[in-house]
Amino acid sequence: MNQYVLLSHILRQDTPSYGNRDKVIIRANSSIKAGETANSSCLILSNNHIGTHIDVPRHFSMEGKRTTDYKIEDFIFENCVLVDMPRGVACLLEPSDFYNLLIDSDVELLLIRTGFETKRGTDDYWNNNPGLSPDLASYFRGRFPRLRCVGFDFISVTSWKFRKEGKLAHKSFLVPEDGAREIWAIEDMSLIYAPLVIKRVIVSPLLVEDGNGSSVTVIAEY
């Protein structure tokens, strides 16, 4: 029997944001308790890159593809690998961190579990987070020719302590200068209960006009 686990955080008003600059606001529009006909809510995201969300090429290029430019099946991943790479302070994950890991060369979605998720709700989560090295994207393309997306349990590709490198890393994954294929990033994932063996992952973005990224619901089947 197939089982399922949620790999997204639920959007809440205390959802952390990169740089601690953005907010999620949830308030009632109508309320049965107030004698109105139905319950309805107002949801305001001050940035579409908050909570568990996906970065696509449009995020770093006006010519880049938007979330609405992809087929629905592009958001389904059949070959998924989870790797454990414990990190507790700001650092950059480098190609050398992956050299000795046994990872299927046909992987489509690579999930990186650092354990940093346990700091969510503290200032450390946004100002002392790990990030990805700009060199990782080209290394991944060379080693994993079918890789389409990476996901991880920290707040951004960019470490707050390595912002210059983070900008370059975003570009190297999403809009490489040599015209190589893009690799999406799913940031701020919940991987604490992710199983080591995953059959399939479905990523469901909120499809918005001119979407340069989107909140996503991520479900793993195992």
Side-chain angles (χ1 to χ4, degrees), residues 77-98:
F77 299 88
E78 302 287 350
N79 195 326
C80 311
V81 174
L82 172 72
V83 297
D84 283 302
M85 195 167 289
R87 296 292 186 276
V89 294
C91 63
L92 294 179
L93 301 183
E94 302 281 356
S96 57
D97 294 313
F98 295 84

Side-chain angles (χ1 to χ4, degrees), residues 3 5 80-82 113 194-201 220-222:
Q3 294 181 286
V5 62
C80 311
V81 174
L82 172 72
R113 181 165 58 190
L196 286 174
V197 179
I198 299 173
K199 293 180 181 178
R200 180 182 296 107
V201 168
E221 177 186 349
Y222 64 99

Side-chain angles (χ1 to χ4, degrees), residues 60-76:
F60 270 78
S61 170
M62 287 305 300
E63 289 73 43
K65 284 186 176 182
R66 301 160 295 187
T67 50
T68 51
D69 291 328
Y70 295 96
K71 299 176 182 178
I72 294 300
E73 54 265 36
D74 291 333
F75 294 100
I76 300 173

Side-chain angles (χ1 to χ4, degrees), residues 202-220:
I202 298 172
V203 178
S204 181
L206 182 64
L207 295 177
V208 177
E209 184 180 14
D210 203 32
N212 52 64
S214 170
S215 297
V216 288
T217 298
V218 184
I219 298 169

Side-chain angles (χ1 to χ4, degrees), residues 145-195:
R146 296 183 61 200
L147 185 68
R148 296 189 282 120
C149 186
V150 295
F152 39 83
D153 59 353
F154 44 90
I155 202 163
S156 176
V157 166
T158 300
S159 168
W160 187 250
K161 295 292 195 294
F162 298 92
R163 276 165 276 178
K164 180 180 178 181
E165 292 88 345
K167 180 180 179 180
L168 293 173
H170 268 100
K171 288 185 174 182
S172 66
F173 275 90
L174 300 175
V175 284
E177 291 182 356
D178 61 2
R181 74 184 188 283
E182 74 267 21
I183 299 175
W184 300 337
I186 305 178
E187 303 175 319
D188 192 21
M189 294 187 73
S190 177
L191 298 178
I192 194 167
Y193 298 117

Side-chain angles (χ1 to χ4, degrees), residues 6-20:
L6 183 67
L7 302 185
S8 302
H9 292 285
I10 295 172
L11 281 172
R12 306 179 188 276
Q13 295 200 98
D14 61 355
T15 294
S17 65
Y18 178 76
N20 198 32

